[in-house]
Amino acid sequence: MNLAQNNPIIELEDVTVTYPHHTALESISLAVREKEFVGIAGPNGAGKTTLLCAINGLSHILCGTVCVFGKNLFPHIAAIRRDIGYVPQIIACDPRIPLRVREVVSMGRYARISFLKRFSAEDRNIVEDAAEVVGIRRLMDRPIGHLSGGEQRKVAIARALTQEPRILLLDEPVSHLDLNAQAAILALIEKVHAEKNLTTIMVSHQLDLLPESCNRLVLLKEGRIVFTGATQEGLKEGILSRLYGCPVKIIRNGGGCAIRVGTHF
Amino acid sequence: MEILQYQFMQHAVLAGILAGVGCSLIGVLIVSLKIPFLGVTMSHAGFAGAVLGIMLGVNPLICAFIFCCLASLFIGPITDRADLEPEVAVGIIFSVMLGLAFLFLAFLPGAKTEALSLMWGSILAVSRFDVWVIAVSALVVISFLILFFRQIKTILFNRQVAVSLGIPERSIYYAIIFLSGVVISANLTTIGGLLIFSLVVNPAAAAFQIAYNFKNMCILASIFGVSSCLFGLWFSYVFNVPAGAVIIISSSIIFSACLALSPKKKLRHTCCRNE
């Protein structure tokens, strides 16, 4: 696998990640350039979340190197994590937890504020701006446990934005949401990617819901990359049928597409 | 209030206030981290250490503190490295400490009065030195909470999010476990090994039912803890009953009242409702 030219912002070289009883990623090499929007997809257990977590050091890397912003990950992990906004898949949230939305959104600033420094007016403005961009201003005084799934996702995105990151990692940001909420979250992700000039990497099960800005697709199967290239090049019936091990039909409609699985088309 | 002119009562009141604050604040942390059983484990670790101290002729407080430190050194790493649920790791250490406590009791020569008195404590017999020890432990917990308030809130919300933000969550998590041992060993002789768990958990659990703000939860828990201790002292003075038992019963009554009046009770079985 060739690494991309022109100083990629993220470089994984021959990375293997293992868990106690299986190998989640095997010899992964991947380069992501600045301001790219990369979609990661694949069957269950392919290693999508693990790949995302390898970038911010949350995965246990057995061998290989991960470089972010031109630096090797682990000696500089704390500094690198400050510039990576991470939106995990689902955060199980006790509805009684004594935290309000404003506090949870503000947690992203903690990455930027040094140990004994107080929360400044500038920090507060950044928090409010992030809430405004994401559209959760009216929710800021609510207990975090009282929010719906879609609202919780928006809060997680706002939290990531308060870090003022250069890279945004999103793990299945629209899973378990209804159609309206999916559309709202995807529109928000496209907006922040463009407005904040971010490098965005998004894991998604639903290939037909990848935002238009997503210009590169990485397909994983059993811990290995089986395709990386332009999104439209990856959304081909042959490639997806081999990836998922079942017949896949792609119905293209204007700028988008619908993906059907099965034998009855 | 002529009783307050007596030194033993002044010490008892001070110890009650400081124990109420220290135990409640550490309780807020372990209740919020969903490891309330840590309080039982630490109290039994402290009890085992104190009995060993009596056996060896060493200050029981020092041995209690050492055993609590040992327990805390095991609980955190076992949780993380053995991939066990925290409560399982806590339960394993609890059973080890309980076994050791009974073993040391069996080997203790003569009457075991001093050792058994550690089970229910004696707040009315607290010395000036004991008050200082309790004060220092309370101050350490308060300082820890103030210094690491932002980081603690993040860890309570989600440990993985805390790691992703560059917060040293493992160190702070282990520090909370260690501090629970410090507070419990400091209060062992006054509140007692059997009862201290209740003073750690009840006020915090009561505050959890009411507060939607972490700072308010800490303040409320402290108020509940101090109230329980002062009410217990007053009641024991008026009716000549064991102070420790009344302290625990009053903290349980406070919890029951908060549970009954809780605005959160309808949410107990809901988690992240979808749109």
Side-chain angles (χ1 to χ4, degrees):
Chain A
M1 185 74 61
N2 291 323
L3 295 177
Q5 306 294 321
N6 304 324
N7 300 321
I9 198 170
I10 300 168
E11 277 186 87
L12 280 76
E13 189 168 345
D14 217 24
V15 168
T16 296
V17 176
T18 59
Y19 294 118
H21 301 295
H22 80 280
T23 302
L25 291 178
E26 196 170 345
S27 301
I28 297 286
S29 292
L30 178 70
V32 177
R33 288 186 301 276
E34 203 163 356
K35 297 182 194 171
E36 267 195 305
F37 194 136
V38 179
I40 298 177
N44 292 335
K48 305 182 293 295
T49 298
T50 308
L51 177 56
L52 214 62
C53 290
I55 295 169
N56 66 357
L58 290 177
S59 296
H60 176 63
I61 297 172
L62 185 68
C63 59
T65 54
V66 178
C67 288
V68 183
F69 311 124
K71 295 179 213 167
N72 212 305
L73 190 65
F74 278 100
H76 308 99
I77 186 78
I80 288 171
R81 277 179 177 155
R82 273 184 223 122
D83 285 320
I84 300 178
Y86 173 56
V87 181
Q89 192 172 350
I90 292 174
I91 294 177
C93 184
D94 187 335
R96 300 165 299 167
I97 193 169
L99 291 170
R100 296 195 182 262
V101 171
R102 182 173 276 105
E103 290 174 285
V104 175
V105 174
S106 301
M107 286 172 189
R109 288 308 294 164
Y110 301 165
R112 294 277 178 203
I113 303 172
S114 53
F115 176 48
L116 289 172
K117 207 173 155 215
R118 292 174 69 85
F119 221 65
S120 67
E122 189 194 343
D123 295 317
R124 271 184 277 275
N125 288 337
I126 290 170
V127 168
E128 298 300 324
D129 287 345
E132 184 70 42
V133 164
V134 167
I136 56 168
R137 218 49 197 279
R138 63 184 173 84
L139 301 176
M140 291 292 263
D141 292 318
R142 277 215 210 153
I144 185 68
H146 287 192
L147 268 51
S148 68
E151 289 167 340
Q152 297 255 359
R153 299 294 168 78
K154 288 185 179 179
V155 169
I157 293 170
R159 183 183 64 239
L161 289 180
T162 59
Q163 274 179 262
E164 297 181 304
R166 291 168 61 189
I167 296 171
L168 185 62
L169 305 177
L170 301 139
D171 194 350
E172 299 197 41
V174 296
S175 64
H176 302 104
L177 299 182
D178 64 30
L179 292 174
N180 188 32
Q182 284 178 358
I185 296 291
L186 289 170
L188 173 63
I189 291 169
E190 278 202 282
K191 178 182 159 189
V192 301
H193 170 78
E195 280 183 11
K196 307 288 181 186
N197 291 317
L198 299 173
T199 304
T200 303
I201 303 177
M202 181 173 123
V203 168
S204 179
H205 262 309
Q206 291 156 288
L207 289 163
D208 46 0
L209 290 183
L210 288 172
E212 278 186 37
S213 318
C214 178
N215 47 19
R216 188 155 157 229
L217 185 62
V218 173
L219 299 176
L220 288 170
K221 184 171 183 173
E222 292 173 359
R224 290 179 177 270
I225 293 178
V226 297
F227 172 87
T228 178
T231 303
Q232 292 307 314
E233 291 302 310
L235 293 179
K236 296 246 168 89
E237 288 174 1
I239 293 173
L240 295 182
S241 297
R242 281 192 298 278
L243 180 71
Y244 289 102
C246 61
V248 170
K249 178 133 184 96
I250 297 178
I251 304 162
R252 295 193 190 273
N253 181 11
C257 67
I259 296 176
R260 296 286 179 266
V261 177
T263 53
H264 307 292
F265 296 126
Chain B
M1 290 274 107
E2 68 235 24
I3 187 66
L4 287 174
Q5 66 187 298
Y6 297 110
Q7 197 177 58
F8 80 91
M9 202 50 162
Q10 289 166 6
H11 289 163
V13 167
L14 269 176
I17 291 170
L18 294 164
V21 170
C23 291
S24 305
L25 289 178
I26 205 67
V28 165
L29 298 178
I30 67 175
V31 163
S32 302
L33 282 170
K34 310 271 189 254
I35 44 170
F37 202 66
L38 183 66
V40 179
T41 302
M42 286 302 181
S43 65
H44 283 77
F47 179 65
V51 173
L52 181 66
I54 294 169
M55 211 167 82
L56 299 175
V58 176
N59 188 324
L61 196 63
I62 294 172
C63 285
F65 176 71
I66 291 171
F67 263 64
C68 286
C69 289
L70 281 172
S72 68
L73 283 175
F74 281 104
I75 289 170
I78 286 176
T79 304
D80 285 342
R81 302 218 174 114
D83 208 23
L84 288 172
E85 288 296 315
E87 289 280 88
V88 173
V90 166
I92 291 167
I93 303 297
F94 162 75
S95 50
V96 170
M97 291 300 167
L98 185 65
L100 285 173
F102 280 110
L103 194 67
F104 297 150
L105 264 177
F107 284 132
L108 203 57
K112 304 179 199 303
T113 319
E114 189 186 356
L116 291 173
S117 72
L118 290 170
M119 280 192 183
W120 37 83
S122 182
I123 193 169
L124 294 169
V126 71
S127 68
R128 182 174 289 196
F129 174 73
D130 293 332
V131 173
W132 274 109
V133 169
I134 296 169
V136 167
S137 71
L139 190 65
V140 168
V141 173
I142 292 168
S143 305
F144 177 76
L145 259 173
I146 290 172
L147 283 174
F148 294 100
F149 193 67
R150 296 190 297 239
Q151 291 82 355
I152 289 168
K153 273 200 299 186
T154 311
I155 291 165
L156 297 183
F157 175 65
N158 187 274
R159 287 178 71 181
Q160 197 186 45
V161 167
V163 173
S164 73
L165 292 170
I167 288 170
E169 81 53 63
R170 188 173 286 184
S171 302
I172 293 174
Y173 183 71
Y174 290 2
I176 290 171
I177 294 172
F178 175 76
L179 277 177
S180 68
V182 167
V183 169
I184 284 169
S185 59
N187 289 279
L188 196 69
T189 54
T190 49
I191 308 294
L194 276 185
L195 306 176
I196 185 102
F197 161 72
S198 302
L199 190 61
V200 167
V201 170
N202 287 1
F208 185 79
Q209 302 304 316
I210 306 287
Y212 273 117
N213 177 294
F214 187 65
K215 188 165 89 172
N216 292 348
M217 183 178 170
C218 293
I219 294 168
L220 268 176
S222 302
I223 291 171
F224 292 155
V226 170
S227 306
S228 304
C229 288
L230 294 180
F231 179 78
L233 277 172
W234 171 81
F235 200 91
S236 82
Y237 167 67
V238 170
F239 295 102
N240 195 23
V241 293
V246 181
I247 289 171
I248 296 323
I249 290 169
S250 43
S251 72
S252 303
I253 291 171
I254 292 173
F255 170 76
S256 304
C258 290
L259 184 66
L261 299 169
S262 171
K264 301 183 185 181
K265 58 186 172 191
K266 286 180 186 154
L267 300 170
R268 209 166 293 132
H269 302 294
T270 309
C271 187
C272 284
R273 54 187 177 84
N274 290 318
E275 281 179 337

